[in-house]
Amino acid sequence: MAELPRVLGDRLCVLGHDLFLTYLVKGNPCTLLDLGVSATVPLIERQMDELGFKNEDIGNLVILHAHWDHVCGLPYMCRLFPQATVLGSSKAQEVLSKPKIVGRFRKNDERYCAYLKDKNLFHALPDFLEYNTMAVDRIIQDNETLDLGGVEIRFPATPGHSPCNLSAYIPSEKATIVSDAVGCYDPRTDEVLPLFFQSFQKTMESLDLLEGLNAHLAAHCHDSDMIFTCPDVVAFSYSRIREELTRLKEEIKRMSAAGCSNPEMEEKLFRATYRGFIARMYPPDYIRRLAPLLLKAIDG
């Protein structure tokens, strides 16, 4: 487990828990990018104090995509930072306005934070809040550049993992916060985790976009070993993601042509996915249920 907080640049720090990373952009006021889960919020408050920040320094809370493990910290942050503006895409706003979906997110947050505490990955849990929607105060348009506390941040849409996925490019830091846009490359094992739950093709298009930014730093939102801090390594990580996703698609095509059943191909996709931080975060049944989404998305 990485020690957090960690300073990444003059204006950029990473906070939270190694499995659920939140990025602090130093401005006046400051911005938090990607909002984690309920159990990370007390950690973030303590880490901010270590770095010399106060709760009132936070003015912006940015949703990079509306999956439960990236937004369920938001209700707790809104209580902690009541002055902050919540920003996200129009698609994220739509998702988070639906009580049925958000109610399911809240139950996942409670269930899996408790699961991780039982595995000693969290030491404590907050008092869980009751909520069924999350408000987005300001819509971020595709590729919009915003001045947030005196720091320019560009937000290209990077769908493929989810329809509402934004990445955040900070020119002053030459840094891109990728969230889960294109899956992840694990440098410890040279493995790629395929997370194209919406669309394989859109994921590859988002990968093209991210490569074109020529960032010197690229940071994912799970596992701090997937924060790459030199341009050659950033480029290599994107290259390996492209290579492995293409190889996996070709393997599924061969299996289909050979008459393999959907369950057999889903098992292949499950085994490709249930590794690294995914295996640390979730019991296998949770990811096995997502394998049909990968099979459907591989042709889309």
Side-chain angles (χ1 to χ4, degrees), residues 112-166:
Y112 291 110
C113 284
Y115 168 78
L116 293 171
K117 182 176 183 295
D118 288 344
K119 294 180 68 176
N120 295 316
L121 291 172
F122 281 125
H123 298 302
L125 301 179
D127 293 330
F128 292 124
L129 301 176
E130 288 286 334
Y131 58 90
N132 286 300
T133 60
M134 300 184 204
V136 176
D137 303 317
R138 181 176 178 180
I139 298 299
I140 302 173
Q141 305 296 334
D142 176 19
N143 214 32
E144 185 173 8
T145 297
L146 299 178
D147 183 318
L148 297 179
V151 182
E152 285 195 348
I153 306 178
R154 176 182 162 198
F155 293 98
T158 46
H161 175 69
S162 76
C164 61
N165 209 111
L166 299 172

Side-chain angles (χ1 to χ4, degrees), residues 90-109:
S90 60
K91 290 183 175 67
Q93 184 186 57
E94 179 183 355
V95 168
L96 297 175
S97 70
K98 296 181 177 180
K100 185 174 181 180
I101 293 174
V102 174
R104 187 167 67 246
F105 283 3
R106 178 171 53 80
K107 290 177 182 177
N108 279 346
D109 176 73

Side-chain angles (χ1 to χ4, degrees), residues 159-160 196 199-206 208 249 297-300:
F196 49 85
S199 163
F200 179 93
Q201 183 58 38
K202 288 184 185 297
T203 297
M204 300 302 271
E205 291 168 2
S206 293
D208 289 339
K249 180 170 183 173
I298 208 164
D299 290 322

